[in-house]
Amino acid sequence: MPIINRIAEYQQELTAWRRHLHQHPELAFEEHETARFVVEKLESLGVDEIATGLGGTGVVATIRAGSSDRRIGLRADMDALPIREATGLPYASKFDGKMHACGHDGHTTMLLGAARYLAETRNFDGTVHLIFQPAEEGHGGGRRMVEEGLFAKFPVQEVFGMHNWPSLELGRFAMCRDRCMAASDEVRVTIKGRGCHAAMPHRGRDPIPAALLITQAFQSIVAREIDPLDLAVISITQIHAGDTYNVVPETAFLDGTVRTYREATRHLIRDRMAAIVDGIARAQGLEATLDYRDGYPPTVNTAREAELGADTAAEIVGEERVDREPEPVMGAEDFAYMLNERPGSYIWLGNGAVDDRQGLHSPYYDFNDEAIGYGVSYWAKLVERLMPRQN
């Protein structure tokens, strides 16, 4: 069956909600107005309970039906990115330098749509906790909610997440059977030399050649020390040194990211990076340090919940429009912290971008409002599948 008819009737109103959120983006842990908007809508929809403040600005709504002790969690993220919007849309961001460039406005709206349908129909037997999470974009809002007792306060047997995917056609879903998104770590290398006049480099210790050698040597780790069947990425994305053209600087900095799936690979890369930094610095008479900061863990679906989610998606759009074996990606997602605590799965929803400029984290990105009905129908059918009403 396609989008649930009752949900299709919400389309205009849900679109208005989504565009309101798009106009009013808030960054990580600053989602105060977004949380107020969510609470206001939840109160009007007649959910059973609303809790606020978990994880700073997080919101958890509870809807119950029947008498079963079955409990599941559905999660959406709420935060925006520090990007200046370039879409030119009539509902573009009102805040310069802040933008919903990853579709969290759509995710929040779809979970609100699910709250409306589930509170209205109560066509299930159990308890649903709707988790509106702050600070997914690099600040670990999911981790903070877990650490502050999310699953102790709102017990669930399983937890589920969803993210729009611009490269996936509208009306399609993709569900990985196990590993889905990578671990994401941050790296900073600080190289200290001795500054001098650029015309007399022999009187100093130039950190810039060492920075370039270290950057090149890092690439050999993946190319020559990681199993080709494993997945790993090392990307140095920033090099900073000096302030003017005629002075050899005293210090150079490298910043970047490491993406992996296996913990052993993560440790190997960390150790080899440290050895490379130390060895090249010593060889050039410099001092250097590696600051390696563990970030999000890998996002890994559990097999049963992945199959249940894919089956649910197929019920909505047909089996031929559900990819059950998509390639994992090296992006990261802090829903991983919830999956580390409970079985669950994370599904990709087609957003149907027309060109590569409209990808995630692009200033030209916009969530496709036509995807809302598919996402809300997925949440609704998933709850009804996992907790069928007893006659």
Side-chain angles (χ1 to χ4, degrees):
M1 63 172 290
I3 296 170
I4 296 171
N5 288 338
R6 185 72 182 109
I7 291 171
E9 294 174 7
Y10 307 158
Q11 179 66 32
Q12 186 173 357
E13 186 172 11
L14 293 179
T15 296
W17 294 359
R18 203 283 299 183
R19 294 183 179 186
H20 170 85
L21 291 170
H22 189 87
Q23 285 185 300
H24 301 86
E26 295 176 296
L27 303 181
F29 296 122
E30 297 175 2
E31 308 95 334
H32 301 288
E33 292 304 317
T34 302
R36 287 192 189 97
F37 180 87
V38 167
V39 169
E40 175 187 312
K41 297 306 177 188
L42 290 170
E43 288 174 342
S44 72
L45 299 176
V47 302
D48 296 310
E49 294 176 11
I50 302 171
T52 60
L54 194 66
T57 50
V59 178
V60 181
T62 300
I63 306 173
R64 301 184 184 88
S67 58
S68 170
D69 61 0
R70 192 86 165 79
R71 300 178 296 273
I72 66 171
L74 310 179
R75 172 269 199 178
D77 37 19
M78 300 190 295
D79 57 323
L81 283 155
I83 293 175
R84 179 175 288 110
E85 183 162 355
T87 63
L89 293 166
Y91 51 86
S93 172
K94 292 185 175 182
F95 306 133
D96 188 44
K98 299 180 183 181
M99 177 190 175
H100 271 296
C102 202
H104 297 185
D105 48 347
H107 301 167
T108 298
T109 299
M110 290 187 294
L111 197 55
L112 284 172
R116 178 172 180 172
Y117 177 85
L118 294 169
E120 178 183 285
T121 62
R122 309 275 173 163
N123 187 33
F124 63 95
D125 189 10
T127 300
V128 185
H129 295 303
L130 309 176
I131 304 163
F132 296 86
Q133 180 210 301
E136 188 280 326
E137 296 290 357
H139 293 267
R143 176 182 59 210
R144 181 168 166 183
M145 291 189 86
V146 168
E147 290 174 348
E148 292 183 10
L150 173 64
F151 295 129
K153 297 173 181 177
F154 307 97
V156 298
Q157 284 97 23
E158 296 155 301
V159 64
F160 298 88
M162 176 165 47
H163 203 292
N164 78 96
W165 212 242
S167 59
L168 193 63
E169 182 185 347
L170 181 68
R172 300 186 71 95
F173 289 88
M175 174 73 84
C176 296
R177 294 184 185 275
D178 43 51
R179 61 185 185 176
C180 179
M181 302 187 80
S184 171
D185 300 335
E186 295 180 44
V187 172
R188 164 158 276 213
V189 178
T190 303
I191 307 163
K192 293 185 178 180
R194 186 170 68 245
C196 63
H197 195 294
M200 295 169 273
H202 60 291
R203 295 186 175 178
R205 291 289 182 184
D206 190 350
I208 293 178
L212 300 178
L213 287 170
I214 289 169
T215 300
Q216 290 179 311
F218 280 171
Q219 301 311 308
S220 69
I221 300 172
V222 173
R224 288 294 177 263
E225 300 191 53
I226 303 299
D227 186 332
L229 298 180
D230 197 357
L231 295 173
V233 172
I234 299 174
S235 290
I236 296 302
T237 56
Q238 298 182 66
I239 300 178
H240 300 285
D243 300 301
T244 188
Y245 79 99
N246 61 350
V247 176
V248 171
E250 182 170 313
T251 307
F253 301 95
L254 305 175
D255 290 281
T257 184
V258 175
R259 305 298 173 103
T260 55
Y261 272 98
R262 298 176 60 244
E263 196 63 24
T265 304
R266 197 181 206 180
H267 287 306
L268 184 153
I269 289 175
R270 182 192 296 115
D271 292 345
R272 293 299 298 131
M273 291 179 90
I276 286 169
V277 168
D278 182 67
I280 290 177
R282 286 176 180 273
Q284 302 217 359
L286 305 164
E287 296 180 4
T289 57
L290 171 70
D291 181 13
Y292 190 107
R293 299 180 292 278
D294 286 353
Y296 295 170
T299 302
V300 182
N301 291 338
T302 47
R304 176 180 177 273
E305 284 68 27
E307 183 175 8
L308 286 167
D311 289 346
T312 302
E315 184 180 351
I316 299 165
V317 298
E319 182 62 39
E320 71 282 0
R321 298 181 68 79
V322 178
D323 185 353
R324 293 176 182 258
E325 295 187 5
E327 293 293 330
V329 299
M330 301 309 286
E333 164 63 69
D334 79 342
F335 183 61
Y337 292 106
M338 298 186 190
L339 288 178
N340 281 353
E341 298 293 321
R342 295 293 186 274
S345 62
Y346 184 76
I347 197 167
W348 292 324
L349 166 71
N351 197 49
V354 297
D355 63 51
D356 291 340
R357 288 202 318 168
Q358 296 173 325
L360 301 176
H361 293 210
S362 162
Y364 298 97
Y365 170 88
D366 183 38
F367 181 87
N368 188 342
D369 291 317
E370 294 303 312
I372 292 174
Y374 293 103
V376 178
S377 294
Y378 175 77
W379 285 139
K381 284 297 179 183
L382 183 65
V383 170
E384 292 173 352
R385 176 181 289 269
L386 292 173
M387 300 189 297
R389 187 167 64 183
Q390 305 302 311
N391 295 323

